[in-house]
């Protein structure tokens, strides 16, 4: 399939039909990995990580290696020429000659979009500041489809740092396009979703309410999506310390949830989900991290092999 977009910068860049295609391809790749194990031989993925990462970078690397391709890049921008003052646009123009597709994580909002304007090869946003994380969204949606059968008619409870959490911003917008979904957004009042996102959800006709009360919101939830308080986005440590342990999901909290509720978290977690929850079958976050490899395989395979319509 040809995607309509050359780059993936935002979670709304892909149509629902394209998302369905990627979910089906990821499922097929998971079931029959040998069929794809050489499909990207001769192709190179560039990884430009200006912020720390475990899952995004390594699941992309794993995805490319499982498709028979190769990987080059950096995970510590202090070891790149950014340290000498090189602008992202120059780094991207150079990397474009070294790889066939690149994934970029950067602390500045809009950095991937900027990079896409300077790159001849597809650019994938691996997280741009507190803005977007579209491949985490692909992972989240693929996990929900895999575990709950569909992306429609669900009650979602998002809890944590809804102000800075880029995965929340990406995934909320993506889920708001599916019919019948309802959202409860639980956070301290200081960490509510940004105004632009509230306006966008309203324009899309999304049914959502904002709350500070986790226990009452959890009883109706089909999916509970927890996020870390994003320490690195705070201007001072004192504010972070005040808010960091506001919501802790433990077995007692889970006892208020449905028996088949799915608990997701993009990870890394700090304190927001107690370790005791890991043995509850509803805890889906490690399964979610693993599914991230297959959906990224499907994405890079499709961007490289299928191409796009808006060259
Ligand atoms: N979910 C996620 O983006 O994790 P990393 O920061 O480890 O990549």
């Amino acid at each position: 399939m040809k995607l309509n977009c050359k780059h993936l910068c935002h979670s709304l860049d892909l149509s629902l039909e394209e998302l369905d295609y990627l979910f089906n391809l990821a499922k097929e790749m998971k079931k029959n990995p040998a069929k794809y194990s050489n499909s990207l031989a001769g192709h190179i993925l560039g990884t430009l990580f200006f912020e720390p990462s475990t899952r995004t970078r390594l699941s992309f690397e794993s995805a490319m290696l499982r498709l028979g391709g190769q990987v080059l890049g950096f995970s510590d921008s202090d070891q790149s020429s950014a340290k000498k003052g090189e602008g992202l646009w120059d780094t991207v123009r150079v990397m474009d000659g070294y790889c066939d597709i690149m994934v970029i994580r950067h602390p500045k909002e809009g950095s991937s979009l900027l990079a896409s304007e300077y790159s001849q090869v597809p650019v994938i946003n691996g997280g741009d500041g507190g803005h977007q994380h579209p491949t985490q969204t692909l992972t989240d949606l693929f996990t929900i489809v895999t575990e709950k059968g569909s992306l429609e008619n669900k009650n979602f409870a998002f809890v944590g740092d809804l102000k800075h959490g880029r995965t929340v911003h990406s995934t909320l917008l993506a889920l708001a396009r599916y019919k019948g979904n309802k959202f409860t957004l639980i956070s301290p009042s200081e960490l509510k979703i940004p105004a632009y996102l509230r306006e966008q959800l309203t324009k899309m006709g999304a049914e959502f309410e904002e709350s500070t009360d986790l226990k009452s919101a959890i009883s109706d939830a089909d999916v509970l999506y927890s996020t870390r308080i994003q320490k690195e986005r705070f201007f001072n440590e004192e504010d972070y310390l005040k808010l960091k342990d506001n919501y802790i999901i433990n077995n007692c909290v889970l006892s208020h949830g449905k028996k088949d509720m799915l608990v997701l978290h993009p990870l890394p977690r700090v304190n927001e989900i107690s370790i005791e929850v890991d043995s509850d079958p509803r805890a889906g976050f490690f399964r979610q991290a693993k599914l991230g490899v297959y959906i990224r395989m499907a994405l890079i395979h499709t961007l490289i092999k299928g191409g796009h319509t808006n060259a």
Side-chain angles (χ1 to χ4, degrees):
M1 182 188 211
K2 278 192 194 308
L3 299 178
N4 193 40
C5 54
K6 174 175 179 176
H7 310 283
L8 180 63
C9 296
H10 195 285
S11 62
L12 298 182
D13 285 350
L14 296 166
S15 68
L16 299 189
E17 189 194 359
E18 289 171 333
L19 286 171
D20 252 359
Y21 172 83
L22 292 176
F23 300 147
N24 285 328
L25 181 58
K27 191 174 163 189
E28 156 79 6
M29 286 174 157
K30 181 170 180 279
K31 197 169 149 197
N32 193 359
K35 184 174 161 193
Y36 297 92
S37 63
N38 218 24
S39 65
L40 289 188
H43 291 89
I44 298 172
L45 168 76
T47 56
L48 287 67
F49 277 69
F50 295 85
E51 275 190 338
S53 168
T54 297
R55 276 144 293 273
T56 308
R57 185 173 66 84
L58 296 178
S59 64
F60 263 113
E61 290 199 11
S62 176
M64 193 56 168
L65 296 173
R66 284 166 193 252
L67 293 167
Q70 290 171 294
V71 182
L72 59 80
F74 55 82
S75 57
D76 175 2
S77 59
D78 276 359
Q79 299 297 318
S80 80
S81 285
K83 179 82 174 167
K84 298 179 226 163
E86 184 171 60
L88 178 64
W89 45 91
D90 280 355
T91 308
V92 164
R93 283 166 94 158
V94 170
M95 276 300 283
D96 162 291
Y98 299 166
C99 63
D100 303 295
I101 188 165
M102 67 178 89
V103 54
I104 300 178
R105 170 169 289 189
H106 197 281
K108 290 256 167 64
E109 284 81 2
S111 49
S112 298
L113 190 61
L114 175 81
S116 72
E117 286 168 16
Y118 289 89
S119 176
Q120 300 299 310
V121 305
V123 169
I124 299 171
N125 181 0
D128 61 329
H131 181 224
Q132 279 272 313
H133 193 345
T135 67
Q136 181 62 47
T137 293
L138 290 178
T139 302
D140 300 341
L141 269 54
F142 183 46
T143 306
I144 297 164
V145 168
T146 302
E147 301 233 348
K148 306 293 281 181
S150 100
L151 290 160
E152 295 178 349
N153 302 312
K154 306 266 180 303
N155 292 331
F156 292 92
F158 283 79
V159 59
D161 186 348
L162 308 188
K163 179 180 178 183
H164 304 108
R166 57 193 173 199
T167 67
V168 171
H169 304 162
S170 285
T171 296
L172 251 178
L173 286 173
L175 287 169
R177 291 196 293 180
Y178 291 89
K179 68 173 187 227
N181 288 334
K182 293 181 186 163
F183 305 95
T184 308
L185 309 177
I186 307 137
S187 69
S189 54
E190 295 91 333
L191 298 178
K192 288 162 88 164
I193 56 167
Y196 82 85
L197 186 59
R198 191 173 299 115
E199 276 168 32
Q200 199 168 353
L201 288 169
T202 305
K203 266 192 203 149
M204 291 168 83
E207 208 174 314
F208 68 97
E209 60 179 339
E210 296 178 75
S211 168
T212 53
D213 182 5
L214 173 61
K215 274 190 190 151
S216 67
I218 208 178
S219 59
D220 278 342
D222 299 301
V223 179
L224 173 64
Y225 192 104
S226 167
T227 60
R228 179 176 63 90
I229 305 296
Q230 311 273 304
K231 184 179 182 185
E232 64 277 25
R233 312 269 177 239
F234 279 73
F235 288 113
N236 68 68
E237 175 114 5
E238 199 184 318
D239 288 348
Y240 167 72
L241 293 174
K242 196 174 77 184
L243 297 170
K244 78 180 178 73
D245 291 330
N246 262 29
Y247 300 105
I248 296 181
I249 296 164
N250 52 27
N251 284 344
C252 174
V253 172
L254 276 197
S255 71
H256 297 269
K258 291 183 184 177
K259 294 278 172 275
D260 64 347
M261 181 176 70
L262 176 62
V263 182
L264 298 181
H265 190 304
L267 304 177
R269 72 172 150 186
V270 185
N271 286 328
E272 59 280 1
I273 300 184
S274 302
I275 302 284
E276 65 182 17
V277 167
D278 295 5
S279 52
D280 188 309
R282 292 174 287 182
F285 30 92
F286 290 113
R287 300 193 294 274
Q288 180 186 5
K290 188 168 177 185
L291 289 171
V293 174
Y294 301 106
I295 195 69
R296 289 181 172 103
M297 285 169 75
L299 176 68
I300 52 185
H301 187 276
T302 304
L303 281 171
I304 290 178
K305 287 286 194 189
H308 52 92
T309 51
N310 65 345

